Amino acid sequence: MTDLVTNTPVRAEAERAAIAAADAAQVEIRELTELAELSAGCRLFDSIWRPEPGNRPVTTELLRAMSAAGNYVAGAFEGGELLGACFGFFGPPPKGLHSHIAGVAPGGLGRGLGFALKQHQRAWVLRQDVRTISWTFDPLVRRNAHFNLTKLAARAASYLPDFYGPMRDGINGATRTDRILITWDLADAQVRAAALGDPPQLDLNELRSQGAALALSADSDGRPVPGPADARVALVAVPPDIEAVRKTDPALARSWRSALGEVLPGLLAAGAAVTGFDRAGWYVVTKECS
C-alpha cells in the first residue's frame, strides 16, 4: 500500500477533486464549528429523517463535542443556507473515520451535492494521514447503493442484519434496519478515477449473456422472487423506491427486506463479493475463482 503520509500527489488530487465537485454543485463546503451552524445541521437532519419525538438522529451538544475532539463535521452552503451536512468520528487504527450521517435538503437534491460532500470528506481525511472511511447504508435503497458502489467506487464489506434496531423515523419505518457496511479506500485507483468523474462501469446485458444468475428478481407485481445462484456472477435486485413502498404497502416492503436479507448475506457467506451495482437496480455479486 502507498504510504499516504508521504504521498502528497494523492492528497493534492483529492483536494482538486473536492473543489471541482463543490464548484459543480455550486456550494461552499466547510467544517461546522460554531453553535449556530451545528444547530442548523441538527435541524437539517431532523427535517430529512423526520424522527419521532425524543428520537433525534443527533443533538447540537454531541456535534459540538465531536467537532471539538477533532472529528469530521461539515456542511454545504448556498449563500447562507445550509443545504447538506455530514459528520463522522474516528475509530482505532486501522478503522479510520466512520461517517455516521450525511444528508441533503430537498433544495440541494439532483445537483451533485452529496458527491461534493463526500469528496470534501475524502480530502479532509487524507489530510489526517488516514486512508479509509467506512459507513453503513440500507441495501434496499437503490439510489444509495448506486451512489456508494458506483459513483464513489466504495466497496461492500459486510451485511449487518438489523444493525440499529428500531429507528422510529420517517425514512426507515417499522422494518428491520439491515445495513451494508461500506469501506472506502481513499487512495484506490478506482476511487481516484471516480472522484475525477470516471466511475467503474457495468454492462448488465453482457453479464446476462455470459450466464449471470438471477439470484433475486421481481415479478410483474413487484414482489421479490428468489432464484438460483449457481453461476460465478449473481444478480440481486432491489425495488425502484423502497421508501415509497414502505408507505403504500408495508407488507411488500417487509417481504423485500426478508428476501434480500436471505439472498445477499447467503452469497457473501459462501465467499462471494459485491463487485458493483447497476443503475437499473441490481447488485453484481461475484464468486471467487477456485
Side-chain angles (χ1 to χ4, degrees):
M1 271 189 189
T2 303
D3 183 3
L4 289 175
V5 175
T6 59
N7 192 345
T8 54
V10 173
R11 293 185 190 172
E13 181 184 270
E15 297 285 353
R16 291 193 297 270
I19 292 170
D23 287 346
Q26 299 182 319
V27 292
E28 176 196 2
I29 302 179
R30 63 175 185 265
E31 291 182 65
L32 306 181
T33 57
E34 300 300 320
L35 278 175
E37 293 180 339
L38 295 168
S39 295
C42 290
R43 291 194 299 273
L44 174 69
F45 293 139
D46 286 347
S47 70
I48 295 169
W49 271 269
R50 307 183 306 280
E52 292 182 2
N55 191 43
R56 300 185 73 185
V58 68
T59 64
T60 301
E61 296 84 355
L62 182 56
L63 281 188
R64 175 70 144 177
M66 286 198 296
S67 173
N71 294 292
Y72 180 82
V73 185
F77 293 84
E78 183 178 52
E81 183 182 3
L82 182 66
L83 292 180
C86 181
F87 74 89
F89 42 84
F90 286 104
K95 290 186 176 181
L97 184 92
H98 184 79
S99 183
H100 182 51
I101 294 180
V104 175
L109 295 175
R111 51 194 272 188
L113 200 152
F115 182 76
L117 274 170
K118 295 305 288 186
Q119 296 308 320
H120 180 275
Q121 185 182 58
R122 175 175 176 252
W124 185 92
V125 169
L126 285 171
R127 290 199 298 271
Q128 319 308 312
D129 294 331
V130 173
R131 181 173 180 136
T132 304
I133 301 176
S134 64
W135 64 91
T136 64
F137 78 95
D138 185 340
L140 281 173
V141 180
R142 182 185 292 191
R143 67 179 185 280
N144 287 351
H146 182 264
F147 178 76
N148 293 325
L149 299 175
T150 301
K151 190 89 171 162
L152 297 179
R155 291 291 170 260
S158 57
Y159 192 100
L160 307 171
D162 202 20
F163 185 61
Y164 294 109
M167 295 193 73
R168 307 190 310 279
D169 59 37
I171 291 179
N172 293 283
T175 62
R176 293 194 325 245
T177 53
D178 291 14
R179 295 292 184 264
I180 283 179
L181 176 66
I182 285 290
T183 57
W184 202 23
D185 181 348
L186 305 182
D188 175 77
Q190 285 196 335
V191 171
R192 293 173 67 181
L196 299 174
D198 185 23
Q201 301 296 326
L202 290 170
D203 188 332
L204 194 64
N205 291 330
E206 182 178 354
L207 292 173
R208 293 287 301 273
S209 68
Q210 293 175 351
L214 299 184
L216 183 64
S217 57
D219 66 15
S220 59
D221 293 323
R223 294 185 296 256
V225 180
D230 50 359
R232 179 174 174 269
V233 175
L235 303 177
V236 179
V238 293
D241 188 350
I242 189 62
E243 291 165 325
V245 173
R246 285 173 184 150
K247 296 175 182 177
T248 60
D249 194 339
L252 179 59
R254 288 192 295 270
S255 70
W256 270 106
R257 177 68 82 200
S258 296
L260 186 67
E262 292 179 8
V263 172
L264 191 51
L267 288 167
L268 299 181
V274 176
T275 52
F277 189 87
D278 182 79
R279 184 182 287 275
W282 300 86
Y283 288 97
V284 179
V285 186
T286 306
K287 298 177 182 177
E288 296 270 347
C289 294
S290 56

